[in-house]
Amino acid sequence: MSTKAFSVFLAVSLLASRAAASCTIDLSTAVLTLDERTGAASLKFADGTPWPTSKEPAFLLEVDGKSHQPQSVELANDRLVVRFANRARAEFAVIRGRGFAFFRLSRLDSPGEVTRFRLF
């Protein structure tokens, strides 16, 4: 395989894996999954039964009268970072328990006045 063909193959593989990426939060009785690109959430119980999902993103930020959906969601240890298309950024401390997760907003940076912030 030529170097150019390998480079294209590698780039496509990385993009494909990134498109399917997600953050998971294990609640022991269920698993909460957040899509890393859209912030869409799904919940599946330990027995495999899914909770009904919404087409709405788990996060929505309203700034200066305009709604902004997540551009990326990242989970590292117990820190969840949500970035929005308007360059706003929210950071949460995630506290996990048996059957629940507590999201404490620890930081919110926005280029304008936040009038509403929806979480789930």
Side-chain angles (χ1 to χ4, degrees), residues 26 33 36 50 59 63 72-73 91 98 111:
D26 187 352
T33 303
E36 287 183 342
F59 310 94
V63 177
S72 69
V73 178
E91 187 174 314
R98 182 165 171 74

Side-chain angles (χ1 to χ4, degrees), residues 60-68 86-88 108-117:
L60 189 68
L61 188 69
E62 189 174 291
V63 177
D64 299 325
K66 294 182 181 177
S67 294
H68 302 278
N86 69 336
R87 297 184 332 272
L108 178 60
D109 298 318
S110 174
E113 182 180 347
V114 176
T115 52
R116 183 170 31 169
F117 187 26

Side-chain angles (χ1 to χ4, degrees), residues 39-55:
S42 65
L43 183 72
K44 187 178 284 188
F45 293 100
D47 68 359
T49 305
W51 183 263
T53 60
S54 170
K55 296 191 189 296

Side-chain angles (χ1 to χ4, degrees), residues 9-78:
F9 171 77
L10 183 60
V12 169
S13 297
L14 290 173
L15 288 173
S17 67
R18 177 67 178 148
S22 61
C23 305
T24 58
I25 300 172
D26 187 352
L27 308 174
S28 68
T29 59
V31 174
L32 175 64
T33 303
L34 299 169
D35 183 281
E36 287 183 342
R37 287 184 341 123
T38 65
S42 65
L43 183 72
K44 187 178 284 188
F45 293 100
D47 68 359
T49 305
W51 183 263
T53 60
S54 170
K55 296 191 189 296
E56 298 293 320
F59 310 94
L60 189 68
L61 188 69
E62 189 174 291
V63 177
D64 299 325
K66 294 182 181 177
S67 294
H68 302 278
Q69 294 186 358
Q71 191 172 42
S72 69
V73 178
E74 300 169 21
L75 179 65
N77 298 319
D78 292 330

Side-chain angles (χ1 to χ4, degrees), residues 74-94:
E74 300 169 21
L75 179 65
N77 298 319
D78 292 330
R79 187 179 72 121
L80 181 71
V81 177
V82 182
R83 290 183 175 81
F84 297 87
N86 69 336
R87 297 184 332 272
R89 180 180 184 273
E91 187 174 314
F92 297 89
V94 181

